Amino acid sequence: MYFLWKRTPHGSIRVSCDGLSGFINRVLSEKSRCRSLSLAEGENASVTLVLFSDSSATESFRVEERLTSIVAPLGFRLQIVWADRGVPESEWCEALSSAYQSPWTWMLVVSMITLGTLAGLKGLFWTLFWGTAAWFVSKVVISFLIRKRMGFFSPEARR
């Protein structure tokens, strides 16, 4: 999507939404992300950014100062709106929301209900027990194989 920035006697200047948001994301630290943006046209074009951050308010203030200093020479006035400013509950809510929308979650829930109904609580318990045991054994075996392979390919082992 392209925003009209300004009209000149030689034509119009348009700014790409994806390009500008990609530029903003490259400037931001890893804890902050640009969720959306809008651009008001005119000689003193105004960019409104909606940002998400896991950092504190003081870190957010530094991000605002840095973005303003980078975007001002481009001819834009900058306005920043923080969607989530380091709220721990927001991460949990996002994870829960994505779990509700995942077909894998619903497959597991319905499978457990069906197993409990058909095999009873004893069958459900032993299925969960042996499944959990297999998960832990596979984690140990995989981590052992990765460590063994990393040791084999390390520079010290080649000498």
Side-chain angles (χ1 to χ4, degrees), residues 52-71:
F52 168 81
S53 178
D54 291 335
S55 59
S56 65
T58 57
E59 179 74 23
S60 300
F61 182 71
R62 280 188 240 139
V63 167
E64 288 181 25
E65 286 180 337
R66 183 168 182 227
L67 282 174
T68 303
S69 67
I70 291 172
V71 173

Side-chain angles (χ1 to χ4, degrees), residues 136-149:
F136 279 109
V137 167
S138 68
K139 280 297 247 187
V140 168
V141 169
I142 289 170
S143 67
F144 174 74
L145 291 175
I146 288 173
R147 285 185 189 153
K148 186 176 178 182
R149 187 179 334 158

Side-chain angles (χ1 to χ4, degrees), residues 111-148:
S111 297
M112 289 298 151
I113 291 171
T114 304
L115 181 64
T117 303
L118 295 177
L121 291 177
K122 185 177 177 181
L124 178 64
F125 169 77
W126 287 112
T127 301
L128 290 174
F129 174 81
W130 288 113
T132 304
W135 184 85
F136 279 109
V137 167
S138 68
K139 280 297 247 187
V140 168
V141 169
I142 289 170
S143 67
F144 174 74
L145 291 175
I146 288 173
R147 285 185 189 153
K148 186 176 178 182

